[in-house]
Amino acid sequence: MYRTHTCGELRIEDSGNEVTLSGWVQRIRDLGAMTFIDLRDRYGITQLVVDENTDKQVAEKLKELGREYVIQATGTVRERSSKNKNMPTGEIEIALKGLSVLSPSVVPPFTIQDDTDGGDDLRMKYRYLDLRRNMVRKNLELRAKMAHAVRTYLNTKDFIETETPVLIKSTPEGARDFVVPSRMNPGEFYALPQSPQIFKQLLMVAGFDRYYQIVKCFRDEDLRADRQPEFTQIDCEMSFVEQKDVLEMFEGLTRHMFKEVLNIEVDEFPWMPWSEAMEKYGSDKPDTRFDMKLNDLSELVKGKGFSVFDSAEYIGAICAKGCSEYSRKQIDELTNWVKRPQIGAKGLVYVKYNSDGSFKSSVDKFYSPEDLKQWAEAVDAVPGDLILVMSGDKNHMLDALGELRLEMGNQLGLRDKKVFKPLWVVDFPLLEWDEESKRFFAMHHPFTAPKPEDIPLLDTDPGKVRANAYDLVINGVEIGGGSVRIFNSELQSKMFDILGFTKEQAEAQFGFLMNAFRFGAPPHAGIAFGFDRLVSLFAGLGSIRDVIAFPKNNAGRDVMNDAPAPISEEQLEELNLILNVKEK
RNA sequence: GGUGGCGUAGUUCAGUUGGUUAGAAUAUCGGCCUGUCACGCCGAGGGUCGCGAGUUCGAGUCUCGUCGUCACCGCCA
């Protein structure tokens, strides 16, 4: 028996008991004739004490100990003569009678403690040591708790958890696929799923009615703090439902998780049309923790002789509450910020609505105080506020103002991590025009159903067609998305047609799905949540890396085991592969 | 594919207009210490300043390239 208790559970009531603990040496405090050892495991830290005079044998053993040694310690629980109120086990200690080293440790490259001295690179390289730290382990415990809450909720709602294949067929739409060569089928490849999309729809055809899966998905695209090449989705599909039914079900799931995991009651989720999100927040994933909406000033500001505005397609503004005292330097910094290539604005016009009711702007030459008063009314500004205006190409400016809005939200401390504001963004466009290839792409995916009232537009103005597609957005993070699916093979054929597939291509790529639909497909709809993002949101973190046990770096590498890596000539031969790596 | 930040002791960092032998903290090792809990005190070892080239009498410092890493844009739902 290695232990009778964990390092986190002994209390003053256990005094006098003989116990055995196993764990890692956190720290040794050698006071000379008396030595204290902090013994750590997942559950906590317990202090061991050795008196040189009374425990000579054990004291001798202490000499070989070092940080992160795994030891087994036996002794008697006793009340401390000087207690530590800061730790749960702080009232007791173990007077050692026996001590054995189960496994020694070399000196670790960084210290295993909450405020570690290790940088990110090093912690990733020794991730198994990083995972010993409370902060990191807590994130993964949270993740496990959340996965449990998902299963509890969906199981009570009669969802069937079903696994779908990981080796599937590559499809042309969407993200780049990871591919896997097939040894048994020379020259042919599997793909790893970007999502189990087609399989879950086939499960609906199969009559499963309600399906879910917490499942790994793979996309071979460039990475970000919130994007990993392999990530986890809560993937779901339901039959005989409309959009409203799906949103209600998964609002229920989300609220259940907030309640179970964080003990937070969130407000009902508002529904916001995609067009409103774009116009008012400059984003399809608005952060509604704060207001500061975008305002279209185009009509108001034109025709006053300011050629920059007169020639612009769109002039928009946001109102930063209480910022009229911003200094020249602060305004300049904001101007430079929006001029960065990532934002790409030409400049920034400001109007200070001073506390005394007067105006000071960078365009005083062209606009009278009366004009500026009108602007202020249009953006709901009151004395003490700062109005920030940008002009240019409409879509670009909505985007830029949206970014500026978030930046001001950050500067003004309006994006509190402890506050959660979920909403549904609905009525996405069905199709997106691509200038390069001169064709439409499905904004969500090719199986998304158009809104019934917009179906006539498919023939006349496909770009205007809205989809029965929806995203769950929380605090400016896209947590999940889904759609009502097309379940009629004629409409599906039409979609493939609009997307530029020939009949043969559609048949080759999705024939089996179209074929399945000929055998009685129920109306169905589904959704998938980005589980990693949801966990990092709950944890109040910016990066999903911190909620994944073994994540990959920016370049998709696992710096711990150095994957990806070349394979042997024999392996290549067996897979019928010849490499043709281009020199840079 | 592109833009930017960072790279100095095991680790986290400092290092002035380019100027003598590159510092601090922490970790490690040794010594002292009976109530510590970030123990304390004394001492020691520890450096390819990421790598390569260039400018210069002289480069940790300036320039170019390269590698690594992070963030963002493109990409991705």
Side-chain angles (χ1 to χ4, degrees), chain A residues 446 486 488-503 506-507 514 517:
Chain A
I486 297 169
N488 161 312
S489 38
E490 267 177 51
L491 184 57
Q492 186 66 67
S493 300
K494 183 161 196 153
M495 272 298 290
F496 286 138
D497 198 35
I498 292 169
L499 293 172
F501 286 75
T502 64
K503 262 204 156 40
E507 183 62 34
M514 309 267 274
F517 281 2

Side-chain angles (χ1 to χ4, degrees), chain A residues 126-142:
Chain A
Y126 298 94
R127 184 64 164 172
Y128 44 87
L129 296 182
D130 199 29
L131 290 168
R132 287 182 186 170
R133 297 172 53 230
N134 277 320
M135 321 278 278
V136 186
R137 194 194 59 250
K138 282 212 163 80
N139 291 336
L140 287 151
E141 286 173 351
L142 174 72

Side-chain angles (χ1 to χ4, degrees), chain A residues 199-409:
Chain A
F199 292 97
K200 65 177 174 176
Q201 291 193 244
L202 291 171
L203 288 171
M204 294 304 104
V205 176
F208 273 44
D209 194 71
R210 290 180 172 193
Y211 142 90
Y212 85 96
Q213 186 182 188
I214 297 177
V215 62
K216 270 286 176 74
C217 300
F218 306 86
R219 288 175 190 160
D220 185 8
E221 297 292 348
D222 287 1
L223 308 177
R224 292 284 187 283
D226 64 348
R227 275 170 21 198
Q228 284 273 301
E230 51 178 309
F231 60 100
T232 304
Q233 285 194 342
I234 307 167
D235 191 54
C236 306
E237 196 79 5
M238 303 169 76
S239 289
F240 304 114
V241 289
E242 296 172 334
Q243 172 166 309
K244 183 166 174 291
D245 304 310
V246 178
L247 299 197
E248 274 172 10
M249 179 66 73
F250 289 93
E251 182 165 333
L253 169 64
T254 311
R255 301 170 75 87
H256 173 78
M257 293 176 78
F258 272 112
K259 181 69 192 157
E260 282 295 301
V261 179
L262 297 181
N263 197 27
I264 290 177
E265 302 274 1
V266 283
D267 297 337
E268 246 179 64
F269 301 4
W271 292 22
M272 185 186 294
W274 176 85
S275 53
E276 182 186 334
M278 298 306 289
E279 293 274 345
K280 293 292 175 190
Y281 296 90
S283 168
D284 60 0
K285 43 183 197 306
D287 185 344
T288 52
R289 278 174 298 183
F290 65 108
D291 205 32
M292 210 191 289
K293 292 194 188 74
L294 279 51
N295 298 276
D296 185 351
L297 299 185
S298 303
E299 295 306 313
L300 204 55
V301 303
K302 290 202 179 196
K304 302 279 183 179
F306 185 41
S307 62
V308 173
F309 282 179
D310 288 348
S311 64
E313 179 192 3
Y314 171 90
I315 300 98
I318 57 172
C319 169
K321 292 282 166 205
C323 293
S324 70
E325 301 289 321
Y326 260 41
S327 65
R328 175 63 188 262
K329 192 181 165 205
Q330 283 174 298
I331 303 260
D332 281 350
E333 276 170 6
L334 280 180
T335 308
N336 288 332
W337 190 85
V338 300
K339 281 172 143 175
R340 284 169 30 230
Q342 283 88 340
I343 307 294
K346 292 258 163 50
L348 184 65
V349 167
Y350 71 87
V351 180
K352 291 177 174 173
Y353 195 173
N354 297 319
S355 309
D356 62 8
S358 67
F359 290 95
K360 169 76 189 123
S361 83
S362 50
V363 289
D364 284 342
K365 213 162 119 186
F366 301 98
Y367 298 94
S368 67
E370 290 71 36
D371 292 331
L372 298 179
K373 185 95 203 288
Q374 283 189 307
W375 297 19
E377 278 164 17
V379 302
D380 277 332
V382 297
D385 293 350
L386 173 70
I387 305 168
L388 298 167
V389 190
M390 280 195 267
S391 66
D393 171 66
K394 180 167 181 180
N395 287 337
H396 185 191
M397 282 310 111
L398 288 177
D399 189 55
L401 278 165
E403 293 291 342
L404 179 63
R405 175 179 176 273
L406 293 178
E407 172 62 19
M408 293 309 296

Side-chain angles (χ1 to χ4, degrees), chain A residues 61-197:
Chain A
K61 274 238 148 201
L62 284 177
K63 294 203 175 101
E64 52 185 274
L65 291 189
R67 253 175 217 273
E68 300 306 314
Y69 273 52
V70 178
I71 61 171
Q72 182 186 42
T74 299
T76 311
V77 182
R78 75 175 183 213
E79 185 173 1
R80 290 197 199 180
S81 60
S82 63
K83 295 177 182 170
N84 185 341
K85 285 185 209 124
N86 298 320
M87 51 197 295
T89 62
E91 288 193 297
I92 55 100
E93 63 194 355
I94 314 296
L96 285 200
K97 292 200 175 76
L99 173 66
S100 62
V101 173
L102 299 176
S103 178
S105 170
V106 296
V107 175
F110 53 88
T111 54
I112 313 300
Q113 53 197 32
D114 289 354
D115 51 344
T116 183
D117 57 2
D120 288 348
D121 302 8
L122 206 63
R123 289 171 37 216
M124 280 305 163
K125 185 168 177 191
Y126 298 94
R127 184 64 164 172
Y128 44 87
L129 296 182
D130 199 29
L131 290 168
R132 287 182 186 170
R133 297 172 53 230
N134 277 320
M135 321 278 278
V136 186
R137 194 194 59 250
K138 282 212 163 80
N139 291 336
L140 287 151
E141 286 173 351
L142 174 72
R143 185 184 177 107
K145 196 172 174 188
M146 288 175 70
H148 184 82
V150 169
R151 291 199 163 96
T152 304
Y153 179 87
L154 293 176
N155 288 343
T156 62
K157 303 288 183 186
D158 286 329
F159 283 76
I160 305 175
E161 184 171 9
T162 311
E163 289 162 90
T164 52
V166 171
L167 296 173
I168 68 168
K169 185 173 162 181
S170 182
T171 53
E173 294 279 300
R176 218 171 274 124
D177 283 323
F178 280 100
V179 296
V180 180
S182 167
R183 175 184 57 81
M184 288 185 285
N185 303 275
E188 297 190 317
F189 295 81
Y190 300 102
L192 305 181
Q194 298 174 26
S195 79
Q197 185 59 36

Side-chain angles (χ1 to χ4, degrees), chain A residues 35 50-53 55-65 99:
Chain A
T35 298
V50 180
D51 189 323
E52 196 177 62
N53 300 319
D55 313 297
K56 282 233 157 43
Q57 280 184 329
V58 178
E60 197 55 35
K61 274 238 148 201
L62 284 177
K63 294 203 175 101
E64 52 185 274
L65 291 189
L99 173 66

